[in-house]
Amino acid sequence: MPGPGCSMLRLLQAVQRVRIYTPFLATVAVVLIVGSMISTNVAVVSQSGFTIITAVLCLHGCGFSLGYFISKALGLSDKVCRTNSIEVGMQSSALAAVLAKIHFPHDPMIVAPCVLSACTHATVGSLLAGYWNLTAKDSEQL
């Protein structure tokens, strides 16, 4: 019977093999959660979706940009600037959507922006992190 060290080593090797897929799986999970909320608010999203999406894109675009450029202005390394950008741009709108649904269950107009914001920040943040990871120098891999 293998000891705890051997078992732990096997577990860590298995984790290393699936590690590259975890950002994608996290994004899929958020999309599924948000998709279920969008499906219950289809009328609101279809009626004012463009306005909400424009506002959400401006919100997260400013977050990603300000997080990066303020960090850069403070003289931080490029790796830290990228990390701050993602942290600021990807605020927890999934939590906002859940809280809005719990506290305002009869007003879908309150839930819709949070839902679209969660989907937007997950998508844009993942794409930005992937792009930066591909373009980063070997010494500053994220």
Side-chain angles (χ1 to χ4, degrees), residues 54-122:
T54 302
V56 165
L57 285 174
C58 288
L59 170 76
H60 290 293
C62 288
F64 287 118
S65 300
L66 289 172
Y68 184 84
F69 290 115
I70 290 175
S71 298
K72 201 59 143 167
L74 292 172
L76 300 173
S77 72
D78 205 40
K79 184 175 182 178
V80 172
C81 293
R82 292 174 179 189
T83 302
N84 287 343
S85 171
I86 290 173
E87 288 297 324
V88 173
M90 292 185 65
Q91 293 303 310
S92 188
S93 33
L95 175 62
V98 171
L99 291 174
K101 187 172 184 174
I102 290 170
H103 296 290
F104 303 100
H106 304 297
D107 193 354
M109 193 60 167
I110 294 173
V111 178
C114 302
V115 168
L116 292 175
S117 179
C119 193
T120 301
H121 92 257

Side-chain angles (χ1 to χ4, degrees), residues 112-135:
C114 302
V115 168
L116 292 175
S117 179
C119 193
T120 301
H121 92 257
T123 304
V124 174
S126 296
L127 290 172
L128 188 59
Y131 171 76
W132 276 340
N133 194 39
L134 289 174
T135 60

Side-chain angles (χ1 to χ4, degrees), residues 29-57:
V30 169
V31 168
L32 290 175
I33 292 167
V34 169
S36 71
M37 290 184 177
I38 289 176
S39 68
T40 60
N41 296 305
V42 170
V44 173
V45 172
S46 65
Q47 182 181 6
S48 58
F50 180 75
T51 305
I52 295 172
I53 289 175
T54 302
V56 165
L57 285 174

